[in-house]
Structures are given as structure tokens and as C-alpha cells.
Amino acid sequence: MPSPQHSTSALPPAGPLLTDHLRHWAEHRAQQRAFTYVEFPEPGSAGLHHTLGWQRLEARARAIAGRIASVAGPGDRAALLLPQGLDYAAAFLGCLYASVVAVPLFGLALPGHEGRLAAVLEDCEPACIVTDAPSGPAVVGFLAERRLPERPVVYADSGHADRQDNPVEVELPERPEPDDIAYLQYTSGSTRAPTGVVISHANVVANARQAIAAFGAEADRNTTVGWLPLFHDMGLVLSVAAPVVGGFPTVLMDPVAFLEEPGRWLRLLGAYRGTITAAPNFAYDYCVSRIDEEEIAELRLDRVKVLMNGSEPVRPGTVSRFTRTFEPAGLAPEALCPAYGLAEATVFVTTDSYETAPTVLSCDSTELAIGRLRPAAPAVADAPRLVSCGTPVGQELRIADPQTGAGVADGEVGEILLRGPNVGLCYWKRADLSAETFGSPGPDDAEDGAGWLRTGDLGAIYDEQLYVTGRLKDLIIVDGRNHYPQDIEETVQSAVAAVRRDRLAAFSVPRGEAESVVVVAEHRRDVAPTAQEAAAAVHSAATDVWARHGLSIAELVFLAPGLLPRTSSGKVARSAARARYLNGDYVAATAEVPR
């Protein structure tokens, strides 16, 4: 598959570590803007900008490194429990300077994920906790409450008494090797318990370079703008690693600030030249629903270069709605770049080109159900549609039969396999799972059959583009036909106005010797369906699903807003929803459904 190539001559001839690049920019662009955090202290605030130049960023990182090195040695883990901001970025870089393995996590202010946080801390066995002064007492209390071992607390924030923008008197260890562990990226847990992906120093630099090449990012022409959490794989690479490697500035904001007022994100995108950003699919729909024409008229989206959509899945309706809504603000259709990635490959794998508008393929539903990607006849109005996720950059991608491992022809659906310098080393303390996932022999059409990553994702190559069809573990198989949960979910939320968009999960459950399909969905905050309304919704959803997919829905379960299980990065946790349903935690609406 051809990969887009862009010049990287602007990148420094530095060593292979992220800290090599940071040191380079601190020497050559000392006072130029590096990292900016925009704080929104109250509704209607225009934003308070806090900025570090490259020299100050490097000094702050080295200062934190000194404090970490005083309590942790090379190869030890340091858990980052910090709010979004400059201190988080500096603490992550400080871990790398100290040759300590960073574990990017979230602060205790993130509700509903305390159990996951405790499980990760138990698994990674940190030598210290890096946090800020306001969070310190709560962190100590959390460790005691969860009966976790007491650990030294290192403070990274500017408000702490011993905080200085220069290294403390602790000698830093020798620089790590490129293949040493840089950090553990814990997966979001959408299909299993949180598992740490081991990312080396070479992996993260390689993936940053791949992203820079894909988007043609240059130090003097582009700025990344992001609200994705820095404990999230895409947030960390796009907002920290890529800017440090490429030497271009980055602007951060808090995810909560985006949710409170999504226009803040779009205004920041228009405040800088050649902005590059990324967000999941729901964020684009959220902007459409929350930003009115008066606010759109004040936006400057002609300055946006890339709006990456790396969701699972990228919905074609979202792409068209967002483009249509914000075109009056100068948004170019080609700026929207559907992409594909995963933590096991550091994050970035493929993207559509920023020079052409997204490609949408209308598929023959009968062919898709038996695992083949074929275009639908022009007269078919309700054909399932898939959005191209483009081509890989600097890595190899193949499609293979998930059962046999044999390569499949273009247009055939199979498991996506990857190989490249960005693929992580293994899973932390999971030898069997690592061998199964990272040590695949690969498809028979590969020149060298070793070292392929099994992604667990299904997709196909069509016209030299990658189309992702879903997760292998989420695939619904009824009567020998494949059904993708996201397609059923889209049909249900289009048929039932009371359903919150992208707050639903479809899955199959055993009923005797057969499989039945169940959908659990949050209702909108402004409605509370009565039993009669819920029954009518079941009938509407089941009728449309039968008409479009030839599939019966056994039950539709309405949940109050916020009850559908989601991962810490905001993805719907279908496996967890299914487990709760089988445990009897949900009560279903009932109605006559077509057969």
C-alpha cells in the first residue's frame, strides 16, 4: 500500500530520545512558544493563557526529574496522577529524563473510575506518585482507603513550596537506551481489564515522526490544539510527543472545558495558523448540536489544517453534518481526516489525506454480512456506509483471516495486522497475552513472517484505502451472518429520538441454542420515557433494524443518562454493558418485534 511521504527536513538531527529533541529546541528556540495551557475559570471566560517557552519547559522537566530521581531509580515506575495542564506535560518529560517509566493516569477528580485507577496502581507497582499540591492529601487518602502500598509523593506543580525551574541537587542517571521502556500506556478497558502497553523511547519518537509526516507539520507553520486527556494515547502523542519532536507549539485545554462549552475548542483552532487537532466522533456531533449560527459566524476555521477523527467508528453522517455546519466559518472539507490507531501501536496508524475530502463507501449489505467489501448499487439508498481511514505512514499493514492467519485479498474483511517501529514491545506482566498479540507470524503474503501485531480490529483494503469495520470481539454473528454493533446502534439512534447519540451498545446474548440481539441505550436528559413510550421505541427500533439489517432485536433497554459503562477515554464499553445485562442489572422495555 502506498504511504504518503512528506519532508521531515525541518526536524533536528538529534538523538533517538524525546528528551534529545526537547534539549535541541531548548537550545535553538529557547524563548519561542512551546506549550500553552488555556484555563477557563468561569462560564463566558475568554481563557487565561499560561505559556512555557522551550527553555523553561526543559528546565521544568529536568527539575521534576531531579525530584523523581531522588526517590526512584532507572526502570522504576512513576504514576502520574495530575490534572490536565503544563505540569502534566513537564512531569511526563521529567520521568524520561530520570530514566523512570512514566505511567500516565488521571487525577482523582475524574469520577466513576476509582476502581480502574486502583487496579492500574496495583498492576504497575509505582515507586512514587507524581501529583500536585492540591491533590496530594486526596492521593494519600486514596492509597490508604484502597489498601495500596504507601508511596513517596512527588509534587510537580508551581504552587508547591519546593518547586523550582531548575534541577534539584540530585544527579540524574545515564540516558536510557532507545529500546528501554519510556512509559506504560494502559488500555481503556473497553473489551477487557486495563492492561499496560509497554512503549519504548524509540516507539514514541517513531510514532511522533509518523504523525508529523502524515500531516506535513512544520515548526514555523503549525500548532497542535487539543483537549484530549494527556493520559489518553492520542492526547499524549499529539499534544506532547509530536510537538517535542517537531518543534512546533502546542495548546492544551481541559476536557471538561470542552464539554462545558465546545466553542472554546473551535475558537482556539482559529486563533493560530495551520492548526492540527484530534477528537473522537462524538465531539464533532457535540459541536454541531451545541454551537449556534451566531457563534459560527465569529469562528475562523479557515486556519485549520487537520481535524483528525480517530473514533470507533468514524460515522459518515457525522463527517457530513460537521462539514456542512461549519463551512460558513471557512472550514475546508479536506481538513477532516478520518484515522485509525490503537495503544499497542503507540497510537497513530493510518489517516486519510488532508489534501482531499473524506472518502465514503456505500457497501452492498449482503456482501458485507459475509465478509466482503463491495460497492452497493447506486439505486440503494440505505446501504451501510464506511469511511476510509486512509493509508499507513512508516509502517506495514496487512489484512489476514483471524482464524488461520492467512492473508486475504483486497476487499475481503479480516483482522488488521501491523508491523513497524511504533509497535509497542509487549503487555506489562502479561507474557501469554503478549505472545498472542505481538508475536503473530503474519500473513503468508508478507516478505518476512515475524513480529506482526494482531490488533483485534476488523477491516478491509479497498482501492488502496483502509476501511475499519469493527472490533473482532464485538462482532455479532447470527445465523452465520456478520453484523457490526456500530451499524445497529446507528440505526437505533436514528429511529428513536429519545436515545442519546452515541450512548448505546448493541451485543448478542445466548438464548437457548441461538444468539439474540440486545441494545442498551441511555435516554436523553430532557426526556423520561414512560412504559408505553419505551414499548413504542422498541417497535420503531426493531422495525428499522429488521428492514436495514435483516436482524431481530430481542430487547431494548433504556438507561438513565450516565449509566452506560464507558472507559476512561469515553468509549462505550460494550463488554461491560453486556456483563451488566447478563447479571440482571438492567430491566428491559418489552414490545412485539418483527420476526
Side-chain angles (χ1 to χ4, degrees), residues 383-513:
R385 297 188 299 158
L386 296 175
V387 181
S388 166
C389 290
T391 58
V393 178
Q395 51 197 294
E396 300 173 80
L397 185 151
R398 297 289 188 273
I399 308 295
D401 185 305
Q403 302 300 322
T404 67
V408 302
D410 286 1
E412 306 294 310
V413 175
E415 184 175 6
I416 300 169
L417 304 184
L418 297 173
R419 186 168 62 178
N422 56 301
V423 172
L425 303 181
C426 59
Y427 289 121
W428 178 253
K429 300 195 301 188
R430 302 288 195 277
D432 291 346
L433 184 59
S434 295
E436 176 186 337
T437 305
F438 291 88
S440 172
D444 50 18
D445 64 340
E447 294 181 5
D448 177 1
W452 289 80
L453 170 69
R454 294 191 63 177
T455 67
D457 292 318
L458 294 171
I461 302 299
Y462 185 85
D463 196 21
E464 299 186 328
Q465 304 283 308
L466 173 67
Y467 290 84
V468 180
T469 58
R471 288 285 299 170
L472 182 60
K473 292 183 178 180
D474 289 340
L475 187 66
I476 297 172
I477 304 176
V478 178
D479 296 331
R481 295 169 62 84
N482 298 336
H483 300 274
Y484 298 98
Q486 66 269 18
D487 295 338
I488 299 169
E489 292 158 7
E490 177 65 24
T491 299
V492 171
Q493 68 184 9
S494 297
V496 182
V499 171
R500 291 184 75 195
R501 178 159 286 277
D502 294 332
R503 295 295 195 277
L504 68 169
F507 47 82
S508 63
V509 296
R511 296 282 172 87
E513 297 182 357

Side-chain angles (χ1 to χ4, degrees), residues 214-369:
F215 301 125
E218 299 180 32
D220 296 320
R221 295 178 178 271
N222 300 108
T223 296
T224 60
V225 174
W227 55 265
L228 291 176
L230 295 183
F231 62 79
H232 185 276
D233 47 12
M234 180 58 77
L236 188 62
V237 170
L238 187 69
S239 293
V240 178
V244 168
V245 171
F248 44 82
T250 185
V251 177
L252 305 169
M253 60 181 287
D254 194 282
V256 174
F258 164 75
L259 293 173
E260 290 174 342
E261 191 180 329
R264 292 166 170 167
W265 176 46
L266 300 189
R267 286 195 294 274
L268 285 176
L269 287 173
Y272 304 91
R273 184 177 64 157
T275 47
I276 298 172
T277 192
N281 194 84
F282 90 85
Y284 296 99
D285 276 328
Y286 190 60
C287 288
V288 170
S289 66
R290 289 288 304 272
I291 300 176
D292 58 29
E293 292 183 1
E294 183 177 350
E295 189 172 358
I296 291 172
E298 298 176 353
L299 297 174
R300 285 286 313 278
L301 300 185
D302 57 307
R303 309 187 80 183
V304 177
K305 182 175 185 179
V306 171
L307 286 158
M308 185 162 44
N309 183 338
S311 193
E312 300 173 2
V314 178
R315 299 193 186 275
T318 300
V319 173
S320 61
R321 281 190 296 270
F322 190 86
T323 302
R324 184 172 60 252
T325 300
F326 293 101
E327 195 170 19
L331 178 67
E334 56 268 25
L336 277 87
C337 296
Y340 167 69
L342 69 165
E344 287 80 353
T346 305
V347 62
F348 176 79
V349 176
T350 73
T351 182
D352 204 6
S353 171
Y354 62 87
E355 297 177 334
T356 58
T359 301
V360 178
L361 178 66
S362 294
C363 303
D364 184 301
S365 59
T366 302
E367 293 287 326
L368 187 60

Side-chain angles (χ1 to χ4, degrees), residues 18-86:
L18 211 55
T19 48
D20 292 333
H21 293 79
L22 178 57
R23 188 178 301 110
H24 173 90
W25 298 120
E27 292 174 0
H28 295 279
R29 293 175 176 261
Q31 306 306 318
Q32 293 191 34
R33 180 170 56 91
F35 281 42
T36 297
Y37 176 67
V38 184
E39 179 186 6
F40 297 92
E42 57 187 25
S45 169
L48 302 177
H49 290 60
H50 307 274
T51 298
L52 291 175
W54 290 107
Q55 188 177 72
R56 286 195 63 203
L57 174 64
E58 203 245 358
R60 183 171 292 192
R62 291 181 67 85
I64 297 172
R67 293 199 289 277
I68 293 173
S70 70
V71 296
D76 287 342
R77 275 74 59 207
L80 306 184
L81 275 65
L82 286 157
Q84 188 94 334
L86 299 178

Side-chain angles (χ1 to χ4, degrees), residues 526-551:
D526 58 342
V527 300
T530 64
Q532 183 177 3
E533 290 169 339
V538 173
H539 191 272
S540 296
T543 299
D544 281 17
V545 169
W546 177 261
R548 293 198 63 179
H549 308 286
L551 187 67

